[in-house]
Amino acid sequence: MVALSGLIWAPLLLGLLSWLAEHRQRGAGNWVSLAGLLLLLLLSLYLAAMGESALSLSWFARFNIHFALLYDGLAQLMVVMTILLAILALAVSWQEIDRRQGFFHFSLMFSVAGINGVFLAADLFLFFLCWEVMLLPMTALILIWGHENRRYAAIKFFIFTQVSGLLMLIAIIALALFHQQIEGTLSFSLAELQHLDLPGESQFWLMLGFFVAFAVKLPTVPLHTWLPDAHTQAPTAGSVLLAGILLKTGAYGLIRILLPLFPEAAMNFAPVAVTLGVISILYGALMAFSQTDFKRLVAYSSISHMGFILLALFSWQAIALQGAILTIVAHGISSAALFCMAGMLQHRLHSRELGNMGGLWTSAPRMATMTLVFVMAGIGLPGLANFNGELLSLLGSFAVYPAHAMVAALGIIGSALYGLQLFQRAFQGPPGKEVQDLQGRELGFCAVMVLALVYFGLQPHLLLEVSAASLDKLVALASFSEVRP
């Protein structure tokens, strides 16, 4: 289906159109980008209604590389979330960006194109290309529109992602050569490579190349150090994209590529992976509790929440995998929401330090109420989306790694400590500085995020039904690997 490629090419064209429109009239880029993202959303929903679809066009025939796309339930979920959070990033930065607005809109749409490519790619060469493409506009967002130490944060982000990406490229090329050696032809097709019978040691080292790349993006301790700096220095739109979408590309890579391609090696590596997940949960919570910078606190909390996803995926139980999917979506909403609140406070106070806040509930009760809901979601309050994800992740992992699951549960206590501390220091206490409360546009997108957290908290089966086919294949693959001699 040729329309499927529109999810990649259309954002690039719309980004160029927004850039040109902004040059002709100030503020026009906002409206062109918004209209373009809404059209992309309609296209993605239309394709989802049509059911699973695929596209494969010969690209570099000499190397058997194809422009191959797959739009199944899991990809549908990730693409729709990408577009919705891109709309949120645009809405929260509607008045925040005061220079080079045209190029900002192009960078935002360029990011959407690269991320959609990652979620749709069914050819590993195309996957790697989109993986690198999404790095460039995100680096630009941090470097050009970031805050005081943006240059350091952008370079660090670029180096971490680039080096780990090169390890993945080496693994991809090695896989293609193994396919040529065994089957007689080069292949980068994800479907064909899943049937490749690799020697155990080779499978382990190739798996490790992919794991490092995905663990950096997730991120997992000790490969996490780029994240707090990138989040803190990025503009609000950049933080929304980073927390809501880019971190999820690492989880998606584990689900779509690493586990299906290397099931036996992944099972052997699972004790190490789940241990790293638990360490990330506890370390992220402890570091979040010690922060005085609003954005840096939320950044470390993301490391903690992503640890639950790693724990769930490598437990490789049906319930745990469902928990990982729910956590991906729930964290995408709640963390993006908290970064929106941090950005709006910084725009008003010109500071991210919690010590410069306090007592803001008096002058901004609507902002305080919304923030409280987002904090409660991050804590895992029953009835909100995050609770379901973390509960299923722990239940599923407990069946295989009970000690790890019990220790990981301490991270929920940690999230309550740093979450409540964040809210108390920012909004409670004696009246402090007066800030403008949420206005129409801000109140609108905050209300939508609250409704989303409540809706998916009460109706999690809607997300699980969309991704059920992809998860069933993983569970079946795990069962096959266990009984394989």
Side-chain angles (χ1 to χ4, degrees):
M1 184 181 291
V2 179
L4 188 56
S5 64
L7 293 173
I8 298 175
W9 299 115
L12 290 174
L13 297 176
L14 291 166
L16 286 171
L17 186 59
S18 300
W19 195 354
L20 294 173
E22 188 66 37
H23 275 291
R24 292 181 65 88
Q25 183 177 348
R26 184 178 176 85
N30 282 331
W31 294 105
V32 174
S33 295
L34 178 59
L37 288 170
L38 290 175
L39 287 174
L40 280 174
L41 180 61
L42 291 175
L43 175 60
S44 64
L45 293 176
Y46 166 75
L47 291 171
M50 297 294 289
E52 182 175 318
S53 55
L55 171 69
S56 183
L57 302 173
S58 181
W59 192 9
F60 296 112
R62 180 178 179 181
F63 300 104
N64 199 24
I65 295 174
H66 291 75
F67 186 82
L69 306 177
L70 174 65
Y71 196 58
D72 62 358
L74 181 59
Q76 292 166 13
L77 186 64
M78 302 306 296
V79 168
V80 170
M81 186 172 75
T82 297
I83 297 170
L84 289 174
L85 289 180
I87 294 174
L88 173 62
L90 176 64
V92 76
S93 59
W94 198 269
Q95 297 175 344
E96 180 181 312
I97 304 300
D98 55 4
R99 55 193 173 86
R100 305 184 69 176
Q101 293 94 335
F103 188 57
F104 169 80
H105 293 299
F106 174 73
S107 298
L108 178 65
M109 300 300 282
F110 195 179
S111 297
V112 172
I115 295 167
N116 281 350
V118 167
F119 292 144
L120 294 172
D123 181 280
L124 285 184
F125 184 84
L126 178 62
F127 178 88
F128 172 77
L129 179 64
C130 294
W131 185 270
E132 294 298 300
V133 162
M134 70 180 180
L135 166 65
L136 300 176
M138 185 54 60
T139 303
L141 286 173
I142 300 171
L143 186 61
I144 298 175
W145 296 280
H147 303 303
E148 58 276 3
N149 292 323
R150 59 184 180 273
R151 187 184 301 275
Y152 170 78
I155 293 174
K156 191 173 184 179
F157 166 70
F158 185 87
I159 291 174
F160 266 77
T161 308
Q162 187 68 21
V163 171
S164 61
L166 289 176
L167 291 176
M168 181 170 65
L169 177 61
I170 294 171
I172 290 172
I173 295 173
L175 265 177
L177 293 175
F178 268 115
H179 191 278
Q180 183 181 42
Q181 180 181 354
I182 297 172
E183 302 293 339
T185 59
L186 281 172
S187 178
F188 293 86
S189 168
L190 186 57
E192 293 179 1
L193 292 172
Q194 286 182 22
H195 300 291
L196 198 60
D197 189 13
L198 294 170
E201 186 176 354
S202 299
Q203 187 178 142
F204 172 79
W205 288 109
L206 293 174
M207 180 276 299
L208 199 59
F210 282 98
F211 179 80
V212 171
F214 299 146
V216 165
K217 195 60 68 75
L218 198 56
T220 300
V221 176
L223 305 173
H224 68 286
T225 58
W226 64 269
L227 181 67
D229 295 308
H231 266 317
T232 304
Q233 301 304 323
T236 306
S239 294
V240 169
L241 292 178
L242 274 170
I245 307 173
L246 256 74
L247 304 190
K248 311 310 182 294
T249 60
Y252 179 84
L254 293 173
I255 298 171
R256 177 70 81 193
I257 295 177
L258 188 145
L259 296 180
L261 285 182
F262 314 106
E264 295 178 32
M267 285 186 170
N268 293 331
F269 186 70
V272 177
V274 297
T275 300
L276 291 175
V278 173
I279 292 173
S280 297
I281 292 169
L282 299 181
Y283 176 83
L286 288 172
M287 290 299 295
F289 184 74
S290 66
Q291 301 305 309
T292 60
D293 184 300
F294 195 130
K295 293 184 73 174
R296 202 169 183 86
L297 187 154
V298 181
Y300 274 110
S301 74
S302 294
I303 296 172
S304 182
H305 289 297
M306 292 301 98
F308 282 100
I309 294 177
L310 189 64
L311 172 65
L313 292 179
F314 277 88
S315 296
W316 218 333
Q317 299 293 302
I319 295 178
L321 294 174
Q322 292 173 348
I325 294 296
L326 294 179
T327 303
I328 285 172
V329 176
H331 179 266
I333 300 170
S334 61
S335 64
L338 284 172
F339 277 115
C340 286
M341 307 311 294
M344 289 186 285
L345 280 173
Q346 183 174 4
H347 186 68
R348 288 162 166 80
L349 296 172
H350 306 290
S351 174
R352 300 183 303 270
E353 285 294 321
L354 296 174
N356 295 331
M357 303 178 191
L360 297 181
W361 190 304
T362 304
S363 58
R366 292 191 293 271
M367 179 182 287
T369 303
M370 293 294 181
T371 305
L372 181 60
V373 175
F374 301 144
V375 167
M376 290 297 105
I379 288 174
L381 183 70
L384 299 177
N386 301 62
F387 170 77
N388 300 316
E390 293 181 358
L391 176 63
L392 293 184
S393 297
L394 290 174
L395 285 176
S397 59
F398 184 82
V400 187
Y401 299 102
H404 289 79
M406 287 188 289
V407 176
L410 297 175
I412 299 177
I413 300 174
S415 68
L417 293 175
Y418 65 69
L420 294 176
Q421 176 185 250
L422 167 67
F423 183 77
Q424 188 273 332
R425 296 186 66 181
F427 291 98
Q428 294 185 317
K433 295 180 179 179
E434 292 192 0
V435 297
Q436 184 185 41
D437 206 353
L438 296 179
Q439 300 303 301
R441 171 179 52 84
E442 299 169 331
L443 188 61
F445 63 70
C446 286
V448 169
M449 287 187 286
V450 169
L451 290 175
L453 289 169
V454 174
Y455 184 71
F456 290 124
L458 300 178
Q459 302 288 336
H461 64 91
L462 298 175
L463 301 175
L464 298 178
E465 288 171 359
V466 173
S467 58
S470 300
L471 297 186
D472 289 344
K473 291 177 183 177
L474 270 184
V475 174
L477 188 61
S479 302
F480 173 76
S481 298
E482 287 175 350
V483 300
R484 183 177 176 181

